[in-house]
Every structure is written in structure tokens, then in C-alpha cells.
Amino acid sequence: MSLSFDPDTIPLPVGHFIGGELIPAGRVIGMRRPSDGKSYTDCPVAGPDLIERAADSAKAALKVSNWAGVRPRERTRALQAWADLIEAEAETLARIEALSSTRPVGQLVAGDIAITAEQIRFFAEFADKEGSELAPTDDASLGMIMSEPYGVVGAITPWNFPVSMAGWKLGPALAAGNAVVLKPSEMTPFSAVYLAQLAVRAGLPAGLINVVLGDGPTTGTALTGHPDIAKVSFTGSTRAGSAIMENVARTGVKPMTLELGGKSPQLVFADADLDKAASAIAGSVTFNAGQACVAATRLIVEKRVADRLTAAILEKMKAVRPGPTWDATTQYSPIISERQRARIDSIVRAAVAAGGECLTGGNSMDHPGYFYEPTLIADVDQANPAIVEEIFGPVLTVQTFESEEEALALSSHPTYGLASGLFTSDLSRTIRFARKLEAGTVWVNRYSRSRDHILPTGGYKRSGIGKDLGREAYLANRRTKSVLISL
Ligand code: NAD
């Protein structure tokens, strides 16, 4: 059966999901589909009363199920059963997600959802492998470093990869013995609700995952400031990350994991496999129409191969074909909203006004929905808006260098340090740059994540604090207590 579907026929779980029940309450925000701009439903907005109810429900679920205290393998088994059901329901989940978001249904089933199930299993395996430690003390004492969950974790996710981002938060928090109150983006809220419904169907205690819908100022602020939320795990913009830090500082003190924005450079040396580099860079900036935190947005190429590489990238950028997210063959995504498309366009225009030359793109596409042309801008200096701003769209800049020092200087961004790419066949240079690049991830001769979920992801500078994925993400959901016994 084809994965393609009619967007007017998909039932959506519209409501907050608290204690295992769908609650359609609160003021609402109107929603439009990115693929055709049509209004289709409303997103309810949870206020402080529903946050209170969700936190109470999470605490009650922890108590009744003894989730933190059961044999850890029980948590592993329960989470694996949930991952199995996510896989079995992948098509339904993909259709719910594709309707609201920029993710094409085909990519969701083969990629985002399959990988999310795999990552939940990955985190489930930590439950009985990471624990407390004995400390070296004298023989008249016993010192223990006890590892414990926090209790209720508050998680907030962005709209660009809604299922994946929910999985990155829920997997480690639950495996580590916590309950979660999750607030997905108000632009793509329903796949998270369905994920939580699947968890209950798979046998996880009702109330262990609560999903509250709404915007940042109302729902997000009430969530991060709630006294029962012991830890905050956030993915989104640097601006919202700062606002969350401020709110947490004002309302209490709690640990935070912040996965924020990026403006990632790609350094390409003349000795690199240029075809491979062109595919990786064009692929990254057109995948999800550049709406990825790690999108390759600043090409920095050795001058003597710049024309050749740029021509190869241009050819690939011009070849994209837009299509609605409900068509199984679609590869090129729309922009999430008209507002975001207008923002992309205004930065591109400011970049050209500041001296940049648009080699391709620079306009909305003549197609229903919020599509924007893949855009390549040359002749930009470090102060150009297309270099400074996280555009979060299919826009790549190109700059050239003649020495390693120059390449390194251009790669450094005043605000962001999320990821960076390096294309070279010189091993010593690879190590030199891996040490010097100021970014939480360095990809060499590739520009994408693999399915090695043990590799953590997170930013340097204002791209964030802490990591998602890897052992670090699991441990960030546990806290330690020192116990010293006098024998
Ligand atoms: P956003 O910051 O506008 O919103 C993200 C989430 O935060 C949404 O759920 C939103 O409702 C909520 N929010 C906004 N203001 C808030 C506040 N004051 N308090 C609490 N919650 C608040 O980001 P977006 O537009 O949804 O997503 C794009 C951004 O996310 C980009 O900057 C991108 O780089 C970043 N991102 C980072 C990563 C990463 O791993 N580092 C991954 C994906 C996206």
C-alpha cells in the first residue's frame, strides 16, 4: 500500500494527554498545513492549571507504578514494548506528523520514526547498566555515590523533527526512572500526543508521559517554572533557551539541558573528494529545506577548487522538486509557516543588500504551500546577515580561503558552535581541525548523523548546554547522592 494519503481524511488526537486521557481544553491557536497553507484544526493551549494537573499526574504515576524502584530490566522491557508498537504504528504516526509538519511521509517511515524506535531501545538498555558506585575510602567507612532519577522532567521540543525530538527527550528520561511532562511545539503537537497514547497501549503506566499543548509564553513558561518539575530538557532556539534560563532563575533553581541553534561551517580543502563533499553539503542544506539545527549553512572552500565545488552544489540545489508532505515520493519539504518563509526571504534580501551575490534561489517557489528555493549566496563577509543569523531555511553561503589559518578564522562564529564539517584527505590536518574547531560535533568527509546513538549531540558556545543522545543524555537524567557510613 502506498504511504501517500489524503490530508483531509486523517483523524488527529487533538488535546492534552494527561494521566492517560485526552483533554480538549483551553484557548486555541489556529493551525495551517505547511504543504498547502490550508487551515485544518486548532491547537489547544494549556495554562498553569493544566500544568499543575500534568505534574500531579506524573508524580502519582511514579508513586503507584514504583517506576524508579522496579527491577531496572522491567523498565527496559516496557520501553522496548513501546518501541515495538511505535514501529508497528509507524504509518499512522507518520501521517499525523506529516500533516502538520515539514517532514515528508516517506522520510518519516523510513527515517525519523524507525530511528526513534531504535533510540528508545538504545536508551532502555542503560537502565540496568549504569548505577551507583562505591567510593574509595578507609576501611572504617563505606562511601557510596548513589545514582537516582530526578522525579518529573519537563521537556520542550521544536517543530522541525517532532517525533525524533520527543524520542530524544522521553527515551533517556524514562529509562533513567523519571516521569515526563512534554510540551511539543504548538505548530506540530499531535505526533507527541499519539506517541504518548502508544506508550499507554504498550503497557507503560498512564501518567508517566503527559503531553501538554500550547505556546512558549503561556504553556512553556508555566512548565519550566513549576516547582514539581525537577529538571528541564529543552530543544529549540537560543532566544527561547535564554528565556527559559531566566524563568528558571526567577522561579527556582533546577538543572537544564539546552539544545539550541546553530550556524554550521563546512570546510572543504582541495585534496577532498569534491563530488562527495558537494553531495553532502547540498544534501544537508536541502534536507527538510534546511530546517535542521545542524544544517550545513556556511561553505568555506579552498580558493583553487571553489568554482568546481560551487558548480556541483548549484546543480544539486537546482534539481530539487517540491511536493506535499503527504506524497510518498516527496523529497523537498515546505517551510513550516508563511511567517518563517518571510523571515528567510528578508534575511536573503538583507544579505544581498549588504553585498552578497545570489547564485541561485532567493525567492519563494511558485507552488502551493510555503516552499522556498534552495539559495546560494557568494561574496559575503563575516558581518553579512546571511553569515551572522541562523536562517533556518535552505540558504547556503560560500566563502573562500587560501590557508588553514584563514579557514579556521572564517569557521568560527561569534554565537554558535553546534556542528561543523571537514572535507580533506589529509589525516594530520583532520586531527588538527578536530582539536581546534569550536563545535560539539565535527563530521569528517560526511555531513550527517549515523545510527551510532552512543555519539552525543549538543553545542558549544550559545548552541547549548549538555547533550542529547549518548551515555551523557542518560546520565543527565540521573543525579547523585553521596552516602558515607562509619563502620
Ligand atoms: P523555538 O525556540 O521557537 O521553540 C521551541 C520550543 O520552545 C517550542 O515548543 C516553543 O513553544 C517553546 N518555547 C518558546 N519560547 C519559550 C519560552 N519562553 N519558555 C518555554 N518554552 C518556549 O524554536 P523552533 O522555531 O520551534 O525550532 C527551531 C530552533 O530549534 C532553531 O533555532 C534550531 O536550531 C533549534 N533546534 C536545535 C536542535 C539541537 O539539537 N541543538 C535541534 C532542533 C532544533
Side-chain angles (χ1 to χ4, degrees):
M1 196 182 90
S2 168
L3 284 175
S4 298
F5 65 96
D6 174 350
D8 294 322
T9 61
I10 301 299
L12 294 168
V14 179
H16 315 285
F17 190 68
I18 299 176
E21 278 176 56
L22 196 63
I23 304 170
R27 143 177 100 76
V28 295
I29 302 172
M31 300 181 69
R32 285 180 183 276
R33 306 190 293 224
S35 291
D36 63 4
K38 281 196 188 144
S39 149
Y40 68 105
T41 190
D42 295 324
C43 173
V45 179
D49 53 327
L50 281 177
I51 299 296
E52 184 79 30
R53 197 162 147 186
D56 284 349
S57 152
K59 282 192 299 181
L62 284 175
K63 195 166 169 188
V64 171
S65 68
N66 192 25
W67 181 248
V70 294
R71 182 170 295 133
R73 201 72 206 156
E74 291 300 313
R75 290 204 297 274
T76 308
R77 272 204 348 213
L79 291 171
Q80 284 171 342
W82 180 36
D84 291 347
L85 193 56
I86 290 171
E87 269 175 357
E89 292 278 334
E91 291 187 12
T92 307
L93 182 58
R95 289 185 179 124
I96 292 171
E97 173 103 317
L99 192 64
S100 313
S101 79
T102 60
R103 306 293 304 122
V105 67
Q107 292 180 9
L108 280 165
V109 171
D112 309 28
I113 293 172
I115 292 170
T116 298
E118 193 174 282
Q119 288 170 338
I120 288 168
R121 289 195 192 96
F122 165 83
F123 281 116
E125 282 297 337
F126 278 95
D128 64 352
K129 295 180 186 64
E130 288 287 346
S132 305
E133 288 174 32
L134 285 187
T137 57
D138 62 51
D139 60 7
S141 313
L142 182 67
M144 290 186 279
I145 303 164
M146 261 188 192
S147 163
E148 301 176 332
Y150 278 97
V152 186
V153 170
I156 300 181
T157 50
W159 51 261
N160 59 339
F161 297 100
V163 166
S164 313
M165 297 295 107
W168 285 12
K169 303 299 184 198
L170 293 168
L174 298 173
N178 302 283
V180 180
V181 179
L182 167 69
K183 191 201 88 61
S185 167
E186 61 276 28
M187 288 190 268
T188 53
F190 307 118
S191 53
V193 175
Y194 195 66
L195 270 180
Q197 289 177 320
L198 290 180
V200 174
R201 271 174 55 193
L204 269 80
L208 205 62
I209 305 175
N210 302 280
V211 182
V212 287
L213 309 189
D215 59 14
T218 307
T219 315
T221 304
L223 178 61
T224 58
H226 194 281
D228 290 337
I229 299 297
K231 188 219 145 136
V232 170
S233 185
F234 172 75
T235 298
S237 62
T238 298
R239 179 192 47 75
S242 293
I244 289 171
M245 288 186 96
E246 231 179 282
N247 189 44
V248 166
R250 203 174 31 241
T251 53
V253 170
K254 58 188 76 165
M256 281 177 272
T257 307
L258 303 175
E259 297 295 344
L260 309 177
K263 189 76 200 174
S264 300
Q266 316 307 313
L267 303 180
V268 184
F269 284 85
D271 62 6
D273 177 335
L274 295 184
D275 290 339
K276 196 169 169 184
S279 295
I281 294 165
S284 170
V285 80
T286 55
F287 177 67
N288 206 30
Q291 300 163 108
C293 53
V294 293
T297 51
R298 292 188 295 132
L299 170 61
I300 299 164
V301 51
E302 194 165 349
K303 198 166 190 170
R304 62 199 163 99
V305 293
D307 287 348
R308 226 176 97 202
L309 182 68
T310 308
I313 292 175
L314 274 172
E315 193 184 319
K316 292 178 197 301
M317 287 177 113
K318 286 177 181 168
V320 303
R321 295 285 167 267
T325 48
W326 42 81
D327 180 335
T329 63
T330 291
Q331 292 298 327
Y332 188 65
S333 297
I335 305 301
I336 186 69
S337 64
E338 184 59 69
R339 188 161 162 238
Q340 172 62 7
R341 182 166 69 165
R343 179 177 178 272
I344 294 170
D345 197 54
S346 79
I347 300 175
V348 167
R349 279 166 211 286
V352 172
E357 187 195 352
C358 214
L359 300 183
T360 188
N363 291 298
S364 293
M365 280 176 151
D366 185 16
H367 190 279
Y370 311 133
F371 290 88
Y372 199 83
E373 293 171 343
T375 300
L376 181 54
I377 307 177
D379 291 331
V380 285
D381 59 25
Q382 290 297 80
N384 189 288
I387 293 285
V388 176
E389 298 281 335
E390 183 189 36
I391 301 175
F392 225 58
V395 183
L396 177 69
T397 54
V398 55
Q399 297 171 290
T400 60
F401 66 84
E402 288 179 285
S403 68
E404 281 195 6
E405 293 66 36
E406 214 184 332
L408 199 63
L410 286 172
S411 74
S412 177
H413 193 279
T415 310
Y416 300 114
L418 192 57
S420 53
L422 174 66
F423 293 85
T424 179
S425 55
D426 181 330
L427 179 60
S428 302
R429 176 187 286 143
T430 299
I431 304 295
R432 276 197 298 280
F433 274 79
R435 286 184 174 148
K436 285 186 181 158
L437 285 166
E438 285 187 280
T441 293
V442 178
W443 281 309
V444 182
N445 294 330
R446 62 178 294 140
Y447 197 81
S448 59
R449 254 180 256 292
S450 66
R451 285 167 89 149
D452 303 298
H453 311 307
I454 192 68
L455 289 167
T457 179
Y460 278 22
K461 300 185 181 172
R462 274 176 263 169
S463 286
I465 301 173
K467 303 287 180 180
D468 275 334
L469 296 180
R471 185 168 171 261
E472 277 184 75
Y474 178 81
L475 294 179
N477 284 282
R478 307 273 296 182
R479 55 186 164 179
T480 56
K481 178 187 280 172
S482 289
V483 178
L484 182 61
I485 304 170
S486 177
L487 303 176

